[in-house]
Amino acid sequence: MLLARTVPELRAAVEAARAAGKAVGLVPTMGCLHEGHLSLVDLARSRAAFTVVSIFVNPTQFGPKEDFARYPRPFEEDCRLCAARGVDVVFAPGADFYAADASTWVEETAVSQGLCGEHRPGHFRGVATVVLKLLNAARADVAVFGRKDLQQLAVIRRLVRDLDVPVEILEAPTARDSDGLAMSSRNRYLSPAERAAALVIPAALAAAASLARAGERDPAKVLAAARARLAAEPGLRLQYLELVDADTLRPAPAAEPGRAVLAVAAFAGATRLIDNLAL
Ligand code: PAF
């Protein structure tokens, strides 16, 4: 496995793979890899003979009071996991991935509104900008993103469509631990008590979804079922809970299985967790 630190190094490796007739798959990450990331790698490898994993803790998507400085960076371990999973290149640029006087941003203005976009101003501008840079750097045929970051995925799909980026976006299902908690690099911040509280998040989503599957179509009632479970857990502080249309991410007019998605963000202690569940 090659470790590329600069765009020219990455491009040389990708062009050589292309010359050998290989399709290129990209899995953008911020490192601190877990089984969820590795399932994205598996999906990329099932569609492309040459796989690049980028590891870059992107400063522009963190707010001033967020965890950029303390975001875990177990780089050696990440590289070991990538090599064991058959990754061809780890692309790990330094801070100079952005020019010191970089002045160009990519801003999606519809699906980035509301949900996380409302509570993390500038976050999706940072995500969209770095993802376009990574797609340009790798010239990938396919790029894989997790369904857990529902709004991120929607922003990236729009970006690719609106700017004619020649890449196919693949969506990987949310990977969960055996207790149901959606895998996240930030789960390692959780104390045992906070983790126990966090488990109420998937349980609340499941309770609400089963109400809808049983025939309840009123969004208010479906949301109330989830909200009651979340409110009963004193270790959680809810940031948002919404039932949204899967395509537009606007509030869903009905709790329609196959169309509507429950999306939640909540704090367990100081750790912000997100999750979602399609009805
Ligand atoms: O999902 C993430 O890990 C990040 O938002 C991404 C897509 C790698 C961009 O920094």
Side-chain angles (χ1 to χ4, degrees), residues 248-273:
T248 63
L249 301 192
R250 303 308 301 158
E256 195 73 53
R259 278 229 58 82
V261 183
L262 282 157
V264 62
F267 286 89
T271 304
R272 184 176 180 276
L273 300 169

PDB file of all heavy atoms in Angstrom, residues 248-273:
ATOM      1  N   THR A 248     -35.506  15.487  -0.364  1.00  0.00           N
ATOM      2  CA  THR A 248     -35.349  16.940  -0.186  1.00  0.00           C
ATOM      3  C   THR A 248     -34.821  17.310   1.185  1.00  0.00           C
ATOM      4  O   THR A 248     -34.368  18.437   1.399  1.00  0.00           O
ATOM      5  CB  THR A 248     -36.713  17.638  -0.358  1.00  0.00           C
ATOM      6  OG1 THR A 248     -37.595  17.155   0.685  1.00  0.00           O
ATOM      7  CG2 THR A 248     -37.333  17.340  -1.719  1.00  0.00           C
ATOM      8  N   LEU A 249     -34.946  16.397   2.154  1.00  0.00           N
ATOM      9  CA  LEU A 249     -34.618  16.644   3.561  1.00  0.00           C
ATOM     10  C   LEU A 249     -35.495  17.741   4.166  1.00  0.00           C
ATOM     11  O   LEU A 249     -35.185  18.269   5.233  1.00  0.00           O
ATOM     12  CB  LEU A 249     -33.124  16.958   3.759  1.00  0.00           C
ATOM     13  CG  LEU A 249     -32.149  15.871   3.306  1.00  0.00           C
ATOM     14  CD1 LEU A 249     -30.753  16.175   3.817  1.00  0.00           C
ATOM     15  CD2 LEU A 249     -32.567  14.485   3.764  1.00  0.00           C
ATOM     16  N   ARG A 250     -36.594  18.073   3.508  1.00  0.00           N
ATOM     17  CA  ARG A 250     -37.578  18.993   4.087  1.00  0.00           C
ATOM     18  C   ARG A 250     -38.543  18.166   4.934  1.00  0.00           C
ATOM     19  O   ARG A 250     -38.690  16.948   4.714  1.00  0.00           O
ATOM     20  CB  ARG A 250     -38.379  19.724   2.982  1.00  0.00           C
ATOM     21  CG  ARG A 250     -37.551  20.502   1.976  1.00  0.00           C
ATOM     22  CD  ARG A 250     -36.572  21.477   2.588  1.00  0.00           C
ATOM     23  NE  ARG A 250     -37.199  22.487   3.430  1.00  0.00           N
ATOM     24  CZ  ARG A 250     -36.580  23.166   4.381  1.00  0.00           C
ATOM     25  NH1 ARG A 250     -35.299  22.917   4.647  1.00  0.00           N
ATOM     26  NH2 ARG A 250     -37.222  24.061   5.081  1.00  0.00           N
ATOM     27  N   PRO A 251     -39.253  18.801   5.893  1.00  0.00           N
ATOM     28  CA  PRO A 251     -40.182  18.027   6.724  1.00  0.00           C
ATOM     29  C   PRO A 251     -41.139  17.187   5.885  1.00  0.00           C
ATOM     30  O   PRO A 251     -41.710  17.659   4.898  1.00  0.00           O
ATOM     31  CB  PRO A 251     -40.927  19.119   7.500  1.00  0.00           C
ATOM     32  CG  PRO A 251     -39.938  20.248   7.566  1.00  0.00           C
ATOM     33  CD  PRO A 251     -39.170  20.218   6.276  1.00  0.00           C
ATOM     34  N   ALA A 252     -41.277  15.918   6.254  1.00  0.00           N
ATOM     35  CA  ALA A 252     -42.118  15.001   5.475  1.00  0.00           C
ATOM     36  C   ALA A 252     -43.588  15.293   5.776  1.00  0.00           C
ATOM     37  O   ALA A 252     -43.959  15.411   6.949  1.00  0.00           O
ATOM     38  CB  ALA A 252     -41.780  13.559   5.826  1.00  0.00           C
ATOM     39  N   PRO A 253     -44.431  15.398   4.745  1.00  0.00           N
ATOM     40  CA  PRO A 253     -45.846  15.672   4.995  1.00  0.00           C
ATOM     41  C   PRO A 253     -46.565  14.492   5.629  1.00  0.00           C
ATOM     42  O   PRO A 253     -47.574  14.663   6.300  1.00  0.00           O
ATOM     43  CB  PRO A 253     -46.414  15.959   3.589  1.00  0.00           C
ATOM     44  CG  PRO A 253     -45.418  15.400   2.626  1.00  0.00           C
ATOM     45  CD  PRO A 253     -44.091  15.352   3.315  1.00  0.00           C
ATOM     46  N   ALA A 254     -46.033  13.286   5.441  1.00  0.00           N
ATOM     47  CA  ALA A 254     -46.658  12.088   6.024  1.00  0.00           C
ATOM     48  C   ALA A 254     -45.567  11.098   6.396  1.00  0.00           C
ATOM     49  O   ALA A 254     -44.485  11.083   5.797  1.00  0.00           O
ATOM     50  CB  ALA A 254     -47.604  11.445   5.012  1.00  0.00           C
ATOM     51  N   ALA A 255     -45.868  10.284   7.393  1.00  0.00           N
ATOM     52  CA  ALA A 255     -44.901   9.259   7.823  1.00  0.00           C
ATOM     53  C   ALA A 255     -45.020   8.050   6.898  1.00  0.00           C
ATOM     54  O   ALA A 255     -45.504   6.993   7.279  1.00  0.00           O
ATOM     55  CB  ALA A 255     -45.160   8.885   9.277  1.00  0.00           C
ATOM     56  N   GLU A 256     -44.537   8.277   5.680  1.00  0.00           N
ATOM     57  CA  GLU A 256     -44.730   7.304   4.603  1.00  0.00           C
ATOM     58  C   GLU A 256     -43.529   6.360   4.530  1.00  0.00           C
ATOM     59  O   GLU A 256     -42.437   6.793   4.163  1.00  0.00           O
ATOM     60  CB  GLU A 256     -44.844   8.083   3.288  1.00  0.00           C
ATOM     61  CG  GLU A 256     -45.381   7.331   2.101  1.00  0.00           C
ATOM     62  CD  GLU A 256     -46.870   7.091   2.215  1.00  0.00           C
ATOM     63  OE1 GLU A 256     -47.619   8.064   2.435  1.00  0.00           O
ATOM     64  OE2 GLU A 256     -47.249   5.923   2.114  1.00  0.00           O
ATOM     65  N   PRO A 257     -43.712   5.074   4.847  1.00  0.00           N
ATOM     66  CA  PRO A 257     -42.577   4.160   4.696  1.00  0.00           C
ATOM     67  C   PRO A 257     -42.063   4.197   3.254  1.00  0.00           C
ATOM     68  O   PRO A 257     -42.848   4.283   2.319  1.00  0.00           O
ATOM     69  CB  PRO A 257     -43.164   2.797   5.054  1.00  0.00           C
ATOM     70  CG  PRO A 257     -44.307   3.114   5.962  1.00  0.00           C
ATOM     71  CD  PRO A 257     -44.876   4.412   5.433  1.00  0.00           C
ATOM     72  N   GLY A 258     -40.757   4.175   3.107  1.00  0.00           N
ATOM     73  CA  GLY A 258     -40.172   4.245   1.769  1.00  0.00           C
ATOM     74  C   GLY A 258     -39.876   5.676   1.344  1.00  0.00           C
ATOM     75  O   GLY A 258     -39.120   5.890   0.399  1.00  0.00           O
ATOM     76  N   ARG A 259     -40.442   6.677   2.010  1.00  0.00           N
ATOM     77  CA  ARG A 259     -40.202   8.078   1.624  1.00  0.00           C
ATOM     78  C   ARG A 259     -39.591   8.888   2.760  1.00  0.00           C
ATOM     79  O   ARG A 259     -38.735   9.732   2.542  1.00  0.00           O
ATOM     80  CB  ARG A 259     -41.527   8.762   1.238  1.00  0.00           C
ATOM     81  CG  ARG A 259     -41.969   8.498  -0.172  1.00  0.00           C
ATOM     82  CD  ARG A 259     -42.350   9.797  -0.891  1.00  0.00           C
ATOM     83  NE  ARG A 259     -41.284  10.777  -0.941  1.00  0.00           N
ATOM     84  CZ  ARG A 259     -40.288  10.768  -1.830  1.00  0.00           C
ATOM     85  NH1 ARG A 259     -40.219   9.824  -2.731  1.00  0.00           N
ATOM     86  NH2 ARG A 259     -39.371  11.713  -1.814  1.00  0.00           N
ATOM     87  N   ALA A 260     -40.079   8.627   3.982  1.00  0.00           N
ATOM     88  CA  ALA A 260     -39.694   9.501   5.093  1.00  0.00           C
ATOM     89  C   ALA A 260     -38.565   8.873   5.917  1.00  0.00           C
ATOM     90  O   ALA A 260     -38.451   7.647   6.024  1.00  0.00           O
ATOM     91  CB  ALA A 260     -40.905   9.775   5.971  1.00  0.00           C
ATOM     92  N   VAL A 261     -37.736   9.753   6.470  1.00  0.00           N
ATOM     93  CA  VAL A 261     -36.589   9.329   7.277  1.00  0.00           C
ATOM     94  C   VAL A 261     -36.612  10.110   8.590  1.00  0.00           C
ATOM     95  O   VAL A 261     -36.811  11.330   8.591  1.00  0.00           O
ATOM     96  CB  VAL A 261     -35.253   9.642   6.554  1.00  0.00           C
ATOM     97  CG1 VAL A 261     -34.072   9.128   7.356  1.00  0.00           C
ATOM     98  CG2 VAL A 261     -35.226   9.057   5.160  1.00  0.00           C
ATOM     99  N   LEU A 262     -36.410   9.404   9.688  1.00  0.00           N
ATOM    100  CA  LEU A 262     -36.247  10.062  10.980  1.00  0.00           C
ATOM    101  C   LEU A 262     -34.782  10.430  11.134  1.00  0.00           C
ATOM    102  O   LEU A 262     -33.898   9.578  10.934  1.00  0.00           O
ATOM    103  CB  LEU A 262     -36.620   9.095  12.099  1.00  0.00           C
ATOM    104  CG  LEU A 262     -38.108   8.884  12.337  1.00  0.00           C
ATOM    105  CD1 LEU A 262     -38.331   7.550  13.030  1.00  0.00           C
ATOM    106  CD2 LEU A 262     -38.682  10.031  13.166  1.00  0.00           C
ATOM    107  N   ALA A 263     -34.522  11.684  11.482  1.00  0.00           N
ATOM    108  CA  ALA A 263     -33.135  12.130  11.648  1.00  0.00           C
ATOM    109  C   ALA A 263     -33.000  12.781  13.019  1.00  0.00           C
ATOM    110  O   ALA A 263     -33.878  13.546  13.436  1.00  0.00           O
ATOM    111  CB  ALA A 263     -32.771  13.130  10.557  1.00  0.00           C
ATOM    112  N   VAL A 264     -31.907  12.473  13.705  1.00  0.00           N
ATOM    113  CA  VAL A 264     -31.742  12.961  15.065  1.00  0.00           C
ATOM    114  C   VAL A 264     -30.295  13.377  15.314  1.00  0.00           C
ATOM    115  O   VAL A 264     -29.365  12.799  14.742  1.00  0.00           O
ATOM    116  CB  VAL A 264     -32.177  11.862  16.077  1.00  0.00           C
ATOM    117  CG1 VAL A 264     -31.331  10.613  15.969  1.00  0.00           C
ATOM    118  CG2 VAL A 264     -32.178  12.365  17.504  1.00  0.00           C
ATOM    119  N   ALA A 265     -30.146  14.397  16.152  1.00  0.00           N
ATOM    120  CA  ALA A 265     -28.828  14.747  16.710  1.00  0.00           C
ATOM    121  C   ALA A 265     -29.033  14.969  18.201  1.00  0.00           C
ATOM    122  O   ALA A 265     -30.001  15.628  18.605  1.00  0.00           O
ATOM    123  CB  ALA A 265     -28.266  16.006  16.057  1.00  0.00           C
ATOM    124  N   ALA A 266     -28.152  14.397  19.000  1.00  0.00           N
ATOM    125  CA  ALA A 266     -28.279  14.549  20.458  1.00  0.00           C
ATOM    126  C   ALA A 266     -26.891  14.488  21.073  1.00  0.00           C
ATOM    127  O   ALA A 266     -25.970  13.878  20.513  1.00  0.00           O
ATOM    128  CB  ALA A 266     -29.160  13.445  21.033  1.00  0.00           C
ATOM    129  N   PHE A 267     -26.776  15.133  22.227  1.00  0.00           N
ATOM    130  CA  PHE A 267     -25.510  15.086  22.967  1.00  0.00           C
ATOM    131  C   PHE A 267     -25.606  14.049  24.071  1.00  0.00           C
ATOM    132  O   PHE A 267     -26.578  14.023  24.837  1.00  0.00           O
ATOM    133  CB  PHE A 267     -25.214  16.434  23.611  1.00  0.00           C
ATOM    134  CG  PHE A 267     -24.765  17.486  22.640  1.00  0.00           C
ATOM    135  CD1 PHE A 267     -25.691  18.293  21.993  1.00  0.00           C
ATOM    136  CD2 PHE A 267     -23.411  17.657  22.366  1.00  0.00           C
ATOM    137  CE1 PHE A 267     -25.273  19.256  21.087  1.00  0.00           C
ATOM    138  CE2 PHE A 267     -22.986  18.622  21.460  1.00  0.00           C
ATOM    139  CZ  PHE A 267     -23.927  19.424  20.816  1.00  0.00           C
ATOM    140  N   ALA A 268     -24.594  13.190  24.172  1.00  0.00           N
ATOM    141  CA  ALA A 268     -24.410  12.336  25.350  1.00  0.00           C
ATOM    142  C   ALA A 268     -23.166  12.911  26.028  1.00  0.00           C
ATOM    143  O   ALA A 268     -22.059  12.803  25.493  1.00  0.00           O
ATOM    144  CB  ALA A 268     -24.187  10.890  24.932  1.00  0.00           C
ATOM    145  N   GLY A 269     -23.342  13.588  27.156  1.00  0.00           N
ATOM    146  CA  GLY A 269     -22.231  14.362  27.722  1.00  0.00           C
ATOM    147  C   GLY A 269     -21.892  15.470  26.734  1.00  0.00           C
ATOM    148  O   GLY A 269     -22.780  16.152  26.225  1.00  0.00           O
ATOM    149  N   ALA A 270     -20.574  15.581  26.405  1.00  0.00           N
ATOM    150  CA  ALA A 270     -20.167  16.630  25.468  1.00  0.00           C
ATOM    151  C   ALA A 270     -20.128  16.112  24.034  1.00  0.00           C
ATOM    152  O   ALA A 270     -19.748  16.849  23.118  1.00  0.00           O
ATOM    153  CB  ALA A 270     -18.788  17.141  25.867  1.00  0.00           C
ATOM    154  N   THR A 271     -20.472  14.858  23.844  1.00  0.00           N
ATOM    155  CA  THR A 271     -20.312  14.238  22.518  1.00  0.00           C
ATOM    156  C   THR A 271     -21.601  14.325  21.723  1.00  0.00           C
ATOM    157  O   THR A 271     -22.645  13.842  22.162  1.00  0.00           O
ATOM    158  CB  THR A 271     -19.884  12.764  22.657  1.00  0.00           C
ATOM    159  OG1 THR A 271     -18.691  12.726  23.441  1.00  0.00           O
ATOM    160  CG2 THR A 271     -19.629  12.135  21.315  1.00  0.00           C
ATOM    161  N   ARG A 272     -21.470  14.938  20.549  1.00  0.00           N
ATOM    162  CA  ARG A 272     -22.639  15.071  19.682  1.00  0.00           C
ATOM    163  C   ARG A 272     -22.729  13.855  18.772  1.00  0.00           C
ATOM    164  O   ARG A 272     -21.772  13.504  18.082  1.00  0.00           O
ATOM    165  CB  ARG A 272     -22.507  16.355  18.854  1.00  0.00           C
ATOM    166  CG  ARG A 272     -23.699  16.654  17.980  1.00  0.00           C
ATOM    167  CD  ARG A 272     -23.495  18.005  17.282  1.00  0.00           C
ATOM    168  NE  ARG A 272     -24.614  18.337  16.423  1.00  0.00           N
ATOM    169  CZ  ARG A 272     -24.748  17.896  15.169  1.00  0.00           C
ATOM    170  NH1 ARG A 272     -23.827  17.103  14.649  1.00  0.00           N
ATOM    171  NH2 ARG A 272     -25.787  18.248  14.448  1.00  0.00           N
ATOM    172  N   LEU A 273     -23.902  13.225  18.796  1.00  0.00           N
ATOM    173  CA  LEU A 273     -24.116  12.020  17.996  1.00  0.00           C
ATOM    174  C   LEU A 273     -25.259  12.265  17.024  1.00  0.00           C
ATOM    175  O   LEU A 273     -26.224  12.953  17.373  1.00  0.00           O
ATOM    176  CB  LEU A 273     -24.473  10.846  18.912  1.00  0.00           C
ATOM    177  CG  LEU A 273     -23.415  10.489  19.964  1.00  0.00           C
ATOM    178  CD1 LEU A 273     -23.991   9.500  20.974  1.00  0.00           C
ATOM    179  CD2 LEU A 273     -22.163   9.925  19.311  1.00  0.00           C
TER     180      LEU A 273
END
